[in-house]
Amino acid sequence: METVALGTITHYINGEKVKGNSERFGYVYSPSTGQKIATVPYATADEVDETIQLAKRAFVEWSRTSVGKRVEVLHRFRQLLVKYTEELARIIGKENGKTISDARGEISRGIESVDLAIGAPHILKGEYSENVGGDINAYSIKQPLGVVTCISPFNFPAMVPLAMSTMAVAVGNCMILKPSEKVPYSALFISELWEKAGLPAGVWNVVNGDKDTVQALITHKDIQAISFVGSTKVAKIIYETGTNHHKRVTAFGGGKNHMVIMPDANIDRAVDSFIGAAYGSASQRCMAISVAMPVGKETARAFTQKLKEKVENLKTGAFDDEHADFGAVISAEAKQIILKAIEEAVNEGANIVVDGRNPDVDNQDGFYLGATLLDNVTSEMNIYKEEVFGPARVIVSVDTLDDAIQFINEHQYGNGVAIFTNSGRDSRKFTQEIQVGMVGVNVPIPIPVGYHNFGGWKGSRIGEGQMFGPDTARFFTKIKTVSERWFDSTGTESETNFDFPSS
Ligand code: NAD
């Protein structure tokens, strides 16, 4: 495993790497080694304001640039993302801890968002009605908002910023990304690719920082829209503060995703699907399966037995360890929170089926946790009620499909859910009755492809608006409707009319 040099992260403002002059810094750690690899400056309110003013200036030209020319930049950006996938995957691995192959996967899903945004000319087409009354034609156009911001989490250092921001840029806005202070390298690398692709200075900016930086951004008078992805606790703060300042806000939060296994399901397939979806990325995915919900005692017995054997063989390791199934968790603090959740559940009566609390790893300083599985878990336990963002997964058995639906519908989160069954009838009932935004039928992580909309329900998304799919363009544009009439230049007849206009 290579040693990463300690470096200093900069902001990326108006086409330049800027060190910033704040006195406040954070540290970036490599989860695989536990080493500090960089210091990251936290932008002050003045620096945020300066960035917004520069972006405002860039907006004048960028919003007037033809959509065809804007999309040319996106084409080049896409090619560069493909060309530099390996470099970016290594950066993601170093600062986030996920394995290189997993990082490649997130980049390829991020590229899907660029593909979608390349379709901006089609998405921006407006509506036109001829002769709506008295020689008047009416049309609606979608115009960019201005300077917008995205605030992103640590778990997808490339995919989420790309998904949140590419369409915003394509439809003519100027972007200020505030990446997670835990993974700022990837955002800087992406900035370099934008620059290489020929994006004009000021259209894409990255300011690093913590909650104070975010506060300065989301309360700034010149920020028109806020797209947030992170924990539900922070999503609520962002939504409330942003809307109190009359911003357009969408805020994606956490999840607790169930996988229902029906008695007629193919148990081997269900087990294999669960393993990847539950433990991949050290379970640090908002769409990770966190609860296995077998229906019926015999299903629970067969599923648990087979699952146990496979979970015991899972291996955690460094991001560049080719034999690792998943990497370390993001921080020493996150590791402690997960350990505490396991301990608390055991004290409340849960049973540890597989104990990954002391994994066999080469580097004891890394933030490693092995795959852990608990059963005898009830809906009253915190390990079931709260999102656990790490490789501790639980089994909650139920008697019927109706019980499963009731459990899931009563949960505070509604991001993703899956059912494994061979019955079309059960699947249909489940997909119709379940109160969850994204549903998989024999698909364990139902993250839609980039051209479908993505978004959870209940506590998993506060506010409306998307970060994938065609609705992203709607979030980042406003509609203007024009009614126009052209007078015959030779005509002289004119009259004043005080009646309400009608057709
Ligand atoms: P987080 O909420 O701690 O941080 C997210 C962002 O908010 C970061 O940029 C951080 O600097 C900022 N932030 C943190 N505290 C803040 C505060 N008090 N005020 C203002 N800004 C603040 O989330 P995280 O730990 O980085 O990411 C993991 C979480 O994100 C999980 O809950 C996961 O489920 C969720 N997530 C959700 C989705 C989704 O699509 N629903 C996708 C990815 C991650």
Side-chain angles (χ1 to χ4, degrees):
M1 152 100 221
E2 72 187 75
T3 320
V4 185
L6 191 77
T8 301
I9 301 286
T10 62
H11 308 295
Y12 181 82
I13 300 171
N14 203 33
E16 286 178 18
K17 288 186 176 163
V18 179
K19 274 192 176 167
N21 50 23
S22 106
E23 303 280 297
R24 294 191 317 120
F25 293 89
Y27 293 113
V28 182
Y29 290 85
S30 183
S32 302
T33 61
Q35 273 184 309
K36 269 180 202 165
I37 54 169
T39 50
V40 53
Y42 292 171
T44 61
D46 284 348
E47 287 170 321
V48 165
D49 176 55
E50 215 173 295
T51 312
I52 293 171
Q53 297 317 321
L54 291 164
K56 246 178 103 176
R57 211 178 297 161
F59 176 72
V60 176
E61 274 305 307
W62 183 243
S63 57
R64 284 186 196 147
T65 302
S66 75
V67 64
K69 288 262 178 279
R70 292 200 298 254
V71 162
E72 275 176 25
V73 179
L74 266 78
H75 272 289
R76 292 193 292 270
F77 181 55
R78 186 197 192 282
Q79 283 167 355
L80 289 163
L81 280 167
V82 172
K83 183 173 172 190
Y84 289 101
T85 289
E86 283 311 302
E87 283 85 342
L88 183 52
R90 288 193 77 75
I91 291 171
I92 294 171
K94 278 176 196 168
E95 65 179 1
N96 168 284
K98 67 175 68 173
T99 61
I100 296 274
S101 58
D102 194 20
R104 282 187 202 115
E106 91 155 86
I107 297 166
S108 104
R109 292 306 295 259
I111 289 172
E112 276 180 18
S113 314
V114 183
D115 290 339
L116 179 75
I118 283 172
H122 174 70
I123 291 175
L124 285 178
K125 278 189 305 189
E127 291 173 338
Y128 193 94
S129 301
E130 191 187 38
N131 203 18
V132 292
D135 286 337
I136 294 173
N137 299 333
Y139 61 92
S140 299
I141 51 178
K142 296 172 193 157
Q143 294 196 318
L145 304 176
V147 182
V148 297
T149 186
C150 289
I151 298 140
S152 59
F154 79 82
N155 65 326
F156 286 109
M159 184 188 80
V160 167
L162 288 171
M164 295 166 97
S165 64
T166 316
M167 181 63 85
V169 168
V171 299
N173 297 288
C174 288
M175 169 61 57
I176 301 184
L177 171 71
K178 205 302 284 174
S180 164
E181 61 274 43
K182 297 181 180 116
V183 294
Y185 261 125
S186 303
L188 262 189
F189 189 80
I190 289 170
S191 306
E192 284 174 19
L193 299 188
W194 273 123
E195 191 176 318
K196 274 197 173 79
L199 191 71
V203 175
W204 162 272
N205 308 274
V206 174
V207 294
N208 289 297
D210 62 352
K211 62 180 172 41
D212 293 349
T213 310
V214 172
Q215 191 68 18
L217 266 170
I218 66 175
T219 56
H220 195 286
K221 67 177 177 37
D222 291 325
I223 287 289
Q224 306 299 330
I226 303 161
S227 176
F228 171 87
V229 179
S231 60
T232 295
K233 187 177 129 224
V234 180
K236 286 179 181 164
I237 297 173
I238 302 287
Y239 185 80
E240 280 159 22
T241 312
T243 49
N244 277 340
H245 285 78
H246 310 125
K247 315 289 182 198
R248 192 179 284 196
V249 186
T250 184
F252 290 75
K256 192 82 180 175
N257 311 307
H258 297 65
M259 177 168 146
V260 176
I261 304 106
M262 295 299 290
D264 66 349
N266 178 320
I267 295 291
D268 290 315
R269 278 186 198 276
V271 166
D272 286 335
S273 300
F274 181 87
I275 296 271
Y279 294 104
S281 245
S283 313
Q284 296 174 121
R285 292 177 182 145
C286 64
M287 290 288 279
I289 294 288
S290 30
V291 183
M293 191 161 262
V295 175
K297 287 196 172 47
E298 180 46 31
T299 317
R301 191 200 58 74
F303 180 79
T304 308
Q305 190 189 350
K306 291 195 172 183
L307 186 63
K308 177 176 187 288
E309 285 164 24
K310 295 222 167 178
V311 174
E312 277 169 346
N313 288 320
L314 292 179
K315 182 175 168 354
T316 178
F319 77 90
D320 54 358
D321 175 351
E322 285 177 3
H323 303 294
D325 296 303
F326 58 86
V329 298
I330 189 69
S331 64
E333 190 197 359
K335 180 174 166 175
Q336 287 314 315
I337 292 171
I338 301 156
L339 285 171
K340 193 167 162 237
I342 298 171
E343 202 177 297
E344 198 181 275
V346 171
N347 291 340
E348 287 169 346
N351 168 46
I352 299 202
V353 180
V354 181
D355 191 346
R357 286 177 289 180
N358 295 299
D360 179 17
V361 286
D362 296 338
N363 190 331
Q364 292 296 331
D365 294 330
F367 311 134
Y368 294 105
L369 268 178
T372 299
L373 183 65
L374 298 103
D375 69 1
N376 278 351
V377 169
T378 66
S379 58
E380 284 78 41
M381 295 181 186
N382 269 337
I383 202 161
Y384 177 75
K385 288 195 285 199
E386 303 298 331
E387 180 182 48
V388 176
F389 220 50
R393 312 284 84 176
V394 303
I395 301 176
V396 178
S397 309
V398 291
D399 292 332
T400 64
L401 177 59
D402 281 314
D403 292 343
I405 292 171
Q406 190 180 343
F407 260 88
I408 297 165
N409 287 352
E410 282 174 2
H411 205 282
Q412 62 167 322
Y413 292 115
N415 216 29
V417 72
I419 183 168
F420 274 67
T421 181
N422 275 322
S423 159
R425 196 178 58 108
D426 286 347
S427 151
R428 187 163 186 273
K429 173 183 170 68
F430 185 77
T431 50
Q432 284 195 337
E433 294 180 16
I434 211 71
Q435 297 294 311
V436 175
M438 290 167 283
V439 183
V441 177
N442 299 316
V443 173
I445 308 189
I447 300 179
V449 286
Y451 38 91
H452 277 266
N453 291 319
F454 173 104
W457 288 10
K458 298 188 275 185
S460 297
R461 181 164 50 131
I462 324 285
E464 281 302 314
Q466 302 290 343
M467 64 168 156
F468 285 19
D471 266 6
T472 320
R474 185 156 48 215
F475 182 74
F476 284 114
T477 53
K478 53 194 171 192
I479 290 182
K480 184 180 280 175
T481 306
V482 180
S483 301
E484 72 177 14
R485 171 167 60 192
W486 298 98
F487 295 111
D488 179 348
S489 57
T490 57
T492 50
E493 278 177 33
S494 177
E495 64 180 44
T496 302
N497 189 342
F498 292 96
D499 297 340
F500 193 71
S502 67
S503 56

